[in-house]
Amino acid sequence: MIEVQGLAKRFRLAGRKADASARERDPREQGEWFQAVREVSFRCEPGEVLGLLGPNGAGKTTTLRLLSSALKPDTGSIHVEGVDVLKDPIAARQLIGFLSGSTGLYGRLTVRENVEYFGRLHGLGDAALKARVDGLFERLGMHDFAHKRADVLSAGMRQKCAIARAVVHEPRVVILDEPTTGLDVMAAKVLLDFIAEHKSRRIPLIFSTHHLHEVEKLCERVCIINQGRAVFGGDLEAMRSSGGSADLHDAFVNIIERRA
């Protein structure tokens, strides 16, 4: 289970203070600080897929980086499978599979070498690593380009490689930042099927997306973030009710506009 309470994170504005017009445009700019995340709470139970939704710049990526321990929150708490991420980030990282918005692959390594390298960082032995990598490449359809260097891959190939790298250690929870952005229909289907497989194995999974058809297909619940705050949390029927529309797109827009 993933449990998040009262997350907040601010960043210093580079070399300037926010003026009155900037505060009017975005209330998160306060003095010398930008409050990227102001108040975010949610939970994701075993076997659940939680969709993290919000406009561009709402604070979704910062929230996911806080969950992964890549960033440390100013206030709030994060627990992953009972482990306090703030107090024991090393133990937490062993439990988490995290895909960031940028794949960050090593361009001079092949696809297989990239995935194997991270498997070894997680302590997998040769036999276990080979079995795990072979299984992932089969499920994600990666055998045909396993020998290619990462710097010549298409967007879909890179994303598959990054996801295989993120879960090579068989994490207890999975966090994905916009995993299907820029992918064609077939590549996106493979990744959505991969998410559904983790759901069937009762692995809590959080993913951010702008594609509400993915949410409708996979998610039990959603958390909507706007201007750094969680403005809605609940199941899809509650989202439709709160947004005043049976259509998820319209419900989402109505929630954002009402809470702006």
Side-chain angles (χ1 to χ4, degrees):
M1 182 178 75
I2 305 169
E3 188 169 12
V4 172
Q5 290 290 334
L7 283 191
K9 179 65 178 179
R10 65 180 186 169
F11 300 95
R12 189 180 296 276
L13 292 167
R16 65 181 180 88
K17 294 184 178 180
D19 57 23
S21 62
R23 287 194 297 272
E24 185 175 336
R25 291 193 303 270
D26 193 331
R28 290 176 293 177
E29 293 195 17
Q30 299 290 334
E32 298 179 355
W33 298 93
F34 179 76
Q35 298 172 311
V37 175
R38 296 189 285 173
E39 177 64 37
V40 171
S41 301
F42 56 80
R43 61 191 296 158
C44 183
E45 302 281 353
E48 273 191 344
V49 176
L50 175 74
L52 195 64
L53 310 179
N56 287 332
K60 302 186 300 299
T61 291
T62 300
T63 297
L64 295 183
R65 288 177 177 170
L66 292 169
L67 264 63
S68 73
S69 80
L71 294 174
K72 185 176 181 179
D74 298 321
T75 60
S77 65
I78 307 167
H79 289 84
V80 173
E81 296 292 288
V83 174
D84 188 323
V85 175
L86 276 65
K87 292 181 178 179
D88 198 350
I90 301 300
R93 287 170 196 161
Q94 294 173 344
L95 301 173
I96 296 169
F98 176 58
L99 174 75
S100 67
S102 58
T103 57
L105 301 175
Y106 293 107
R108 296 179 123 187
L109 298 182
T110 67
V111 168
R112 190 173 192 97
E113 287 169 343
N114 266 282
V115 178
E116 288 179 342
Y117 175 65
F118 278 82
R120 291 192 179 95
L121 289 179
H122 282 286
L124 294 179
D126 290 345
L129 180 60
K130 183 180 185 307
R132 178 65 177 160
V133 171
D134 286 345
L136 283 170
F137 282 24
E138 183 66 31
R139 280 147 55 199
L140 290 169
M142 296 172 59
H143 284 303
D144 288 346
F145 58 90
H147 63 287
K148 290 188 176 182
R149 280 177 31 158
D151 58 6
V152 301
L153 299 177
S154 68
M157 292 174 181
R158 289 180 63 84
Q159 194 74 320
K160 287 182 181 182
C161 182
I163 288 182
R165 183 188 64 180
V167 301
V168 66
H169 59 300
E170 296 191 281
R172 300 274 295 277
V173 303
V174 177
I175 301 168
L176 307 175
D177 189 6
E178 299 189 9
T180 61
T181 297
L183 303 187
D184 63 35
V185 172
M186 297 310 296
K189 181 183 184 304
V190 170
L191 296 186
L192 293 176
D193 289 346
F194 189 71
I195 292 172
E197 176 194 335
H198 280 69
K199 176 179 176 178
S200 70
R201 293 165 55 196
R202 296 191 56 74
I203 294 175
L205 191 146
I206 297 174
F207 78 104
S208 65
T209 182
H210 293 291
H211 305 301
L212 291 179
H213 67 278
E214 298 175 357
V215 172
E216 192 157 27
K217 180 177 180 179
L218 293 171
C219 296
E220 282 74 29
R221 293 188 300 117
V222 299
C223 174
I224 299 177
I225 298 177
N226 190 38
Q227 294 185 335
R229 296 188 187 277
V231 297
F232 173 82
D235 62 24
L236 299 187
E237 288 309 309
M239 179 179 168
R240 291 184 174 98
S241 176
S242 180
S245 175
D247 182 87
L248 283 185
H249 290 80
D250 292 341
F252 170 78
V253 170
N254 292 340
I255 290 170
I256 292 295
E257 290 181 343
R258 186 170 66 245
R259 305 292 176 86

